[in-house]
Amino acid sequence: MQNKRNPNISFFLKVSIVFSFLILTCSAQAHRDDFIDETLVYETLEQGEIELEYGFDYGDRPEPSDKFTRHIFAIEYGLSERFMINGKLLVESGFDSALAEFRYRLFEEGEKPIDISFSTEFEVESVENDSDEYEVEPRLILSKDFEKLNFTLNLPLKIHFKSAPSEFIPAFALRYSWEEAFSIGTEVKYNTFKNEGSIIPQVWFSLPEHMLLKLGYSQGFDQNSESFMRFFLEKEF
């Protein structure tokens, strides 16, 4: 098993090195929202700012059933100028998982050659035999803007409270802000322990009344056979 994982780890180490080189050679600024799946961005909400989110998935997986739907409910709140909390609930034919994420950014965007944030997630997930799995996920977030193009790298480690081994799940994402009201992008993540990954091309549409619409499609690869369409709507207060 170890031999199978090494090439995947090496691939993401190479991506990390290339990404680090890019971000040290250019400079720009822009505000970003989180990507549609699990890739978190450097920026945090302003103090007192609230963001409500709803997501809907329609997908396909070989097991345990062919088609599935999933609902995602989330709320974000800016605790200070650089510190925020994010609560999220996933429902798929009953409770699926819930998490609380805390994110802190070190500087203002663009002050340093690389923008750095730290995040920690505390999650409870429903697993087989009607039991719950508790997890904590510390994460390093690296970000860089090249005018309208943003590169984001997430380096999270999922630590299980029970006997399951920890999982390293790096994610790399990019987004291009075509116009102020329209952006396109993609994210790629890979679980180096389970040997499964996904690629998620996506688009963002800015709507009136501080609303944002995100649309994307997730295609699994390697040991991940799941695919789904995702609709996400955000409202900022």
Side-chain angles (χ1 to χ4, degrees), residues 64-89:
S65 60
D66 292 332
K67 305 295 182 181
F68 69 92
T69 59
R70 181 166 49 212
H71 302 271
I72 306 168
F73 305 91
I75 180 171
E76 298 181 353
Y77 180 72
L79 297 170
S80 71
E81 292 302 317
R82 296 182 180 177
F83 186 45
M84 63 171 281
I85 183 173
N86 174 24
K88 184 179 293 185
L89 172 67

Side-chain angles (χ1 to χ4, degrees), residues 19 80 139 149 163 169 171 185 227 232:
F19 174 81
S80 71
R139 178 187 306 245
L149 183 64
S163 59
I169 316 173
S227 61
F232 230 104

Side-chain angles (χ1 to χ4, degrees), residues 10-28:
S10 299
F11 169 76
F12 277 97
L13 287 176
K14 292 176 181 177
V15 171
S16 301
I17 293 172
V18 172
F19 174 81
S20 300
F21 173 78
L22 289 173
I23 59 180
L24 289 170
T25 57
C26 296
S27 176

Side-chain angles (χ1 to χ4, degrees), residues 53-68:
E53 304 175 358
Y54 169 73
F56 177 78
D57 294 345
Y58 178 77
D60 177 82
R61 65 167 73 96
E63 297 179 0
S65 60
D66 292 332
K67 305 295 182 181
F68 69 92

Side-chain angles (χ1 to χ4, degrees), residues 1-225:
M1 294 296 295
Q2 184 67 31
N3 291 334
K4 291 182 179 180
R5 292 198 296 269
N6 283 341
N8 299 319
I9 297 174
S10 299
F11 169 76
F12 277 97
L13 287 176
K14 292 176 181 177
V15 171
S16 301
I17 293 172
V18 172
F19 174 81
S20 300
F21 173 78
L22 289 173
I23 59 180
L24 289 170
T25 57
C26 296
S27 176
Q29 294 189 21
H31 180 76
R32 296 290 182 260
D33 293 282
D34 283 335
F35 288 85
I36 200 169
D37 194 41
E38 298 181 0
T39 307
L40 304 180
V41 297
Y42 161 78
E43 274 289 356
T44 57
L45 296 183
E46 298 293 334
Q47 185 174 11
E49 188 176 20
I50 299 175
E51 191 168 277
L52 300 179
E53 304 175 358
Y54 169 73
F56 177 78
D57 294 345
Y58 178 77
D60 177 82
R61 65 167 73 96
E63 297 179 0
S65 60
D66 292 332
K67 305 295 182 181
F68 69 92
T69 59
R70 181 166 49 212
H71 302 271
I72 306 168
F73 305 91
I75 180 171
E76 298 181 353
Y77 180 72
L79 297 170
S80 71
E81 292 302 317
R82 296 182 180 177
F83 186 45
M84 63 171 281
I85 183 173
N86 174 24
K88 184 179 293 185
L89 172 67
L90 279 74
V91 178
E92 181 186 334
S93 64
F95 172 77
D96 185 64
S97 66
L99 66 84
E101 180 240 336
F102 298 86
R103 192 182 322 172
Y104 180 78
R105 58 185 174 91
L106 297 183
F107 309 100
E108 295 300 324
E109 191 172 27
E111 283 187 358
K112 303 297 181 179
I114 178 174
D115 295 320
I116 302 175
S117 290
F118 295 98
S119 169
T120 301
E121 294 180 6
F122 300 91
E123 182 174 5
V124 55
E125 181 179 2
S126 178
V127 294
E128 296 179 354
N129 302 320
D130 296 323
S131 61
D132 293 330
E133 174 71 54
Y134 295 89
E135 304 155 346
V136 61
E137 188 171 300
R139 178 187 306 245
L140 174 64
I141 303 169
L142 306 177
S143 177
K144 188 62 185 180
D145 290 317
F146 301 84
E147 297 183 353
K148 295 184 177 182
L149 183 64
N150 171 262
F151 290 86
T152 297
L153 178 67
N154 281 199
L155 301 174
L157 181 66
K158 179 176 287 190
I159 302 170
H160 300 272
F161 282 30
K162 296 183 179 180
S163 59
S166 299
E167 301 173 29
F168 180 50
I169 316 173
F172 177 74
L174 59 88
R175 173 168 58 183
Y176 182 78
S177 299
W178 209 316
E179 298 292 343
E180 184 176 350
F182 176 70
S183 299
I184 59 173
T186 191
E187 53 186 309
V188 181
K189 66 177 182 180
Y190 196 88
N191 188 315
T192 60
F193 177 76
K194 295 181 178 179
N195 294 321
E196 58 182 30
S198 61
I199 180 168
I200 309 104
Q202 51 204 268
V203 293
W204 294 259
F205 299 94
S206 295
L207 305 177
E209 304 299 329
H210 302 285
M211 298 183 69
L212 180 67
L213 173 65
K214 302 177 185 179
L215 301 173
Y217 176 76
S218 176
Q219 177 62 58
F221 62 89
D222 204 345
Q223 300 300 311
N224 181 15
S225 56

